[in-house]
Amino acid sequence: MDRHLLLIGFMGAGKTTVARLVAEHLGMAWLDLDHLIESQQGRTIAEIFDAEGEEAFRALEASALASLTNTPPSVVACGGGVVLSDENRALLSRLGFVAYLAVSAEETLARVGADPSRPLLRRGALDAGRLLASRESLYVAAADACIDTVALSPEEVSDQVVEAFEAHRSSGSSTPARVRVDTSAHGYDVLIGPNLLDTAGLLLREVSSASKVALISDETVYQLFGERAERSMAQAGLEVFSLRFAAGEGSKDWHSAGEMLERLAEHKLGRTDLVVALGGGVTGDLAGFVAATYMRGVTFAQIPTTLLAQVDSSVGGKTGVDLHAGKNLAGAFKQPALVIADTSLLATLSDTEWSSGLAEVAKSALIDSEEFTAWIERSSEGLVRRDEGVVAQAVRRCVAFKARVVSADEKESGMRECLNYGHTLGHALEMVAGYGTVAHGIAVAEGMRFAARLAADIEHASDAFVRRQDALLGRLVPPFPQRVYPIEQLLSAMRSDKKTREGHVRFVLLTTSGEWRCVPVDEGVILRHLQEWSETMRTTEDSGLVSR
């Protein structure tokens, strides 16, 4: 059945203009949802806001959107806030193909200025930046296609929308969501959607002139997906050879990296050729480090196969290997040329790997905003049972959040430190327990619980926030493995953490969702909290639970 083509995006993205152009090209009717509301109410949007407030307007907007179920297929320009409710986002998906027209806050102000008809923009740049930051992951989560409008004419944007829509109609399925990451090195896309592995070769062809590809994966992942990946690349005319290593964090070391570098040289991988990581976070870190150091840097791409890698580690360009002194202490920033997040590959994950990824999803939401945190709380049941629609939204939202952070702070000199929430104790636990003994996300979740209690002590975070985070993590992540962890060893491991400055151990601490600081913490305070934490580990051996 034919359906609507709906355009979503922030103010100034050009939705109305592009809707008219797309409708002309496709021979469809078009309408503007805000104009429809104004016609129905006999008032402007600004007048509705002034008289009745935003909540009343949002109710009218939801009603207008629902009315589209009874109208012929049209190109629809939606208001900037249409994605704010779960119900509207679900309805958008049912109504048809959704294209997100992305625009920066600066471009919004340049295009619309201080337009009095836009009530949410009356305070200028500050409101524009905050509003866009709070909504961006919602736009991405709702979209079948993401199109960057900056520096493009309306006609060029229209052409891209038509291309994506026609590809959707001809294939009978959605084109992948496309999230842009812009860094000083270069910009790249993260493609998110099901069944992308079989077209990976063609997708890589679009970003690389390579003739040869080194496909790096661990033995477990290769058995699952290696031959499919090789076949896809060979069909795209690429010469492929595979490098495999034993699965687990223990392989992320100098020895494995050195062996791979030697193998690249043996296969005569050239400077214009390509290294592709197929796997989880360990594979991405290791393959990225090898790509960053071979010939002082060759092109690198990621095909993440775990939830944790898709929502976090494959985006942002951090690569590295572990040293005896600590995790990820040797590494380089090496941004990928492309990330292909095939969500259908997640079906093979164990419960432990799934929970590990959910910990990073929760971390992203808590750091980002109250809205994202509340969405995760509402969606926790669907995430645990691996509901495809809910998981796809979570991946899109996490990637959009991290893309925004990385684009603002590529080398972790400021804002990007927030991504280390839970990692100071988490990395120490991984090291003391023995790398590979505890899943990374499970350790990070315990680090988040610990950091919340530190924040209540020294940053005046409320007990209610601590309980709220505990409840969320309790729904998503199993209890941390019960055993005695020597406090002095944990503190020693923390001293080796990358965030340590001038001998001071630093923690990312949240006072509430979306409000964080990275602060030095006195070792006496850390030791006191470690002692309290250690006591919670001393539960009866047969309970299998950690009391909180």
Side-chain angles (χ1 to χ4, degrees), residues 177-502:
R178 188 179 295 262
V179 180
R180 188 69 176 172
V181 183
D182 289 308
T183 69
S184 59
H186 66 269
Y188 57 94
D189 291 327
V190 182
L191 305 181
I192 306 165
N195 306 313
L196 298 180
L197 183 60
D198 295 319
T199 59
L202 294 174
L203 296 171
L204 292 169
R205 274 287 191 203
E206 294 177 5
V207 299
S208 171
S209 60
S211 59
K212 190 177 294 186
V213 175
L215 181 68
I216 296 179
S217 63
D218 68 41
E219 294 285 1
T220 301
V221 170
Y222 184 83
Q223 290 298 319
L224 291 168
F225 309 120
E227 291 184 1
R228 281 178 61 192
E230 289 176 343
R231 183 165 56 251
S232 170
M233 294 171 198
Q235 288 172 345
L238 295 165
E239 179 186 342
V240 190
F241 64 93
S242 294
L243 305 181
R244 303 192 287 276
F245 61 93
E249 185 79 26
S251 292
K252 203 176 81 176
D253 59 12
W254 281 112
H255 177 71
S256 296
E259 281 194 341
M260 287 183 185
L261 289 167
E262 293 289 354
R263 293 284 303 282
L264 296 184
E266 290 171 9
H267 282 273
K268 295 182 170 53
L269 192 80
R271 177 160 281 179
T272 60
D273 289 329
L274 184 63
V275 170
V276 176
L278 175 69
V282 169
T283 302
D285 282 358
L286 182 56
F289 181 73
V290 168
T293 50
Y294 181 71
M295 289 188 174
R296 298 190 178 91
V298 295
T299 307
F300 169 56
Q302 292 245 36
I303 306 177
T305 61
T306 66
L307 180 60
L308 189 151
Q310 290 192 5
V311 302
D312 184 67
S313 63
S314 66
V315 181
K318 276 188 177 182
T319 74
V321 295
D322 301 333
L323 304 182
H324 293 303
K327 186 169 178 175
N328 295 329
L329 290 186
F333 285 97
K334 176 66 176 176
Q335 298 295 343
L338 181 68
V339 179
I340 303 171
D342 183 341
T343 52
S344 60
L345 304 183
L346 302 179
T348 63
L349 295 181
S350 68
D351 289 344
T352 298
E353 282 290 345
W354 190 256
S355 297
S356 187
L358 290 182
E360 289 285 354
V361 171
K363 181 203 78 172
S364 296
L366 287 160
I367 299 165
D368 180 46
S369 64
E370 167 60 29
E371 192 283 327
F372 195 0
T373 301
W375 182 83
I376 293 292
E377 289 173 327
R378 294 192 301 273
S379 306
S380 59
E381 184 178 338
L383 289 169
V384 170
R385 69 169 183 262
R386 310 193 191 194
D387 179 274
E388 290 182 7
V390 177
V391 171
Q393 283 201 51
V395 173
R396 292 179 185 183
R397 294 197 64 170
C398 288
V399 170
F401 160 68
K402 189 165 185 183
R404 187 169 69 249
V405 172
V406 170
S407 296
D409 180 19
E410 180 183 1
K411 298 294 180 68
E412 200 173 35
S413 58
M415 178 182 179
R416 188 169 177 174
E417 286 189 313
C418 70
L419 300 176
N420 289 308
Y421 183 48
H423 284 61
T424 303
L425 178 62
H427 279 175
L429 287 168
E430 287 183 86
M431 179 181 173
V432 171
Y435 291 130
T437 303
V438 180
H440 172 70
I442 308 300
V444 167
E446 193 64 18
M448 292 162 63
R449 295 183 181 102
F450 184 84
R453 286 158 175 78
L454 269 182
D457 185 10
I458 65 178
E459 289 288 298
H460 308 296
S462 68
D463 290 340
F465 176 71
V466 176
R467 291 193 298 271
R468 182 187 186 188
Q469 180 183 269
D470 279 353
L472 176 60
L473 293 175
R475 292 198 291 271
L476 299 177
V477 184
F480 192 74
Q482 175 189 336
R483 55 167 277 195
V484 175
Y485 297 88
I487 289 175
E488 286 297 335
Q489 288 185 34
L490 290 172
L491 183 57
S492 177
M494 288 183 200
R495 294 188 186 111
S496 299
D497 187 86
K498 299 187 299 299
K499 294 182 297 301
T500 297
R501 301 286 187 274
E502 299 178 353

